[in-house]
Every structure is written in C-alpha cells, then in structure tokens.
Amino acid sequence: MSRILSVAALEAIQEHAAAFPDPRSALLPALHIAQDEVGYLPPAALEDVSQVLDIPYSDVEEVVSFYTMFYGDKVGKFVLEVCKTVPCGILGADEIVDHIAQALNISPGETTPDGLFTLLRVECLAGCHRAPVMQVNSRYYENLTKEKVDRLIDLMRSEARMWGDKKRETPLPARDNESAAR
Ligand code: FES
C-alpha cells in the first residue's frame, strides 16, 4: 500500500490513537501530524489517516472541510490568515489585507510564486479585544498596523532564508505581539 506519510508520522498517529478507547478521538492530532509533515492535506494524506485510525475516509474528509486550520490545497510556508469579522473590520482589517496583498503581490486566497506566503481571510480568531488580528501558522499577531505587518513579513523572509525547506511550522518568536513585531 503506497503511503504519503513517513513511518515516523504514522507511528506518531498510532501513539495518539492508542491513548484513546476509540481511535476516532485521535483524528484531530492525526491531521495536525499529517499536515505538519506534508504541508497540507491532499487526499493521499487523508487516506493514510483513515487507514491508520480505521475510520471511513468520508469522516476524515468531513472534519478537514469543517476546520479552517486544515488546508486541502497546497499553501505557502507561512499562511497569513487575517480576521474578517466585524470588530477587526472596524479597526482596519481590510486595509491590512490590502496592504499585505500589495506587499506580496497576491490576492486573498493566493500563494506567492516562491511558495513562501499564502494570504487568507478567516472568521473571528477570538482576539477581538486586540483587533485587528492575524494568525500566521500557529501564532497570533494582534493590534496590527501596516508597519507591524511589514516588519513581520521581513522577519518571515529571514526565517525562511535561515530554515530553507525545513518544516512549515517555522520558529517565529513566541507570542510576539509586543516584541518581534514592534
Ligand atoms: S473579530 Fe477579529 S479576532 Fe474576533
């Protein structure tokens, strides 16, 4: 049987599954493991997860389509998800998106030709008190300004140069609203 996931990833999924009475409970961590390894979740990755957890492919597909944190299509090394819900909108999210789109020369929903950045608009990221908010991979950036975004893009480019093709989850400084992005 041909697989897209590495033996290490499959074993990690099995470990999660073994921790629950029903392997289905390990579906979310399994999908994270798969996405971290492949960069997104193509059908072959869903098939691997379905087989390892012994649950129907359609159930796996359903979960992937429900959560915006899972990507069915190839995305960039950095996925910039800008909140499009009203509080962020009132505080300038549209301008932030336009600014990023111009800086990267892409539209929302697109990935830069070098595969570094994908720009997406998403629903509330639960950081409304510090709007406008953007999530980049697993990290949050709040109280966004155009200047802060410019610094973040520079930082991400530096990270990419430093880390090359290594895994997508790159080590931007932790919770850097007040530090790296300042
Ligand atoms: S409205 Fe943007 S984070 Fe909630």
Side-chain angles (χ1 to χ4, degrees):
M1 175 190 335
S2 82
R3 295 195 184 275
I4 189 171
L5 297 182
S6 67
V7 171
L10 295 168
E11 285 175 356
I13 292 172
Q14 278 163 343
E15 263 178 46
H16 277 284
F20 298 101
D22 181 350
R24 181 179 294 267
S25 305
L27 181 51
L28 290 180
L31 290 170
H32 279 296
I33 290 167
Q35 182 163 276
D36 282 349
E37 179 158 290
V38 181
Y40 68 115
L41 292 170
L46 305 194
E47 189 62 45
D48 279 359
V49 169
S50 156
Q51 287 178 10
V52 174
L53 297 182
D54 194 23
I55 57 180
Y57 179 92
S58 57
D59 289 7
V60 179
E61 201 175 29
E62 201 172 82
V63 169
V64 170
S65 65
F66 180 78
Y67 290 104
T68 57
M69 62 192 172
F70 295 127
Y71 310 115
D73 295 317
K74 200 164 186 179
V75 289
K77 185 183 284 283
F78 300 100
V79 183
L80 282 59
E81 297 178 309
V82 183
C83 172
K84 64 178 179 184
T85 308
V86 174
C88 282
I90 291 171
L91 289 169
D94 288 347
E95 288 80 2
I96 293 293
V97 169
D98 289 347
H99 185 74
I100 295 172
Q102 200 172 9
L104 300 179
N105 200 24
I106 54 173
S107 298
E110 293 181 346
T111 298
T112 53
D114 60 6
L116 267 191
F117 302 101
T118 297
L119 175 60
L120 299 174
R121 303 218 61 183
V122 296
E123 300 296 342
C124 181
L125 290 165
C128 330
H129 59 302
R130 304 189 81 179
V133 177
M134 167 172 77
Q135 183 172 354
V136 181
N137 298 357
S138 58
R139 300 188 188 285
Y140 268 37
Y141 301 89
E142 302 161 334
N143 298 322
L144 291 177
T145 61
K146 292 176 186 174
E147 294 72 27
K148 190 181 274 191
V149 164
D150 286 341
R151 285 194 290 276
L152 280 170
I153 290 173
D154 285 346
L155 184 61
M156 287 183 258
R157 285 198 166 114
S158 305
E159 295 279 353
R161 276 195 295 275
M162 198 159 63
W163 288 85
D165 286 337
K166 288 192 182 148
K167 55 190 271 190
R168 188 175 64 82
E169 192 181 342
T170 45
L172 288 172
R175 195 82 183 173
D176 39 10
N177 315 302
E178 309 304 330
S179 54
R182 195 154 38 204

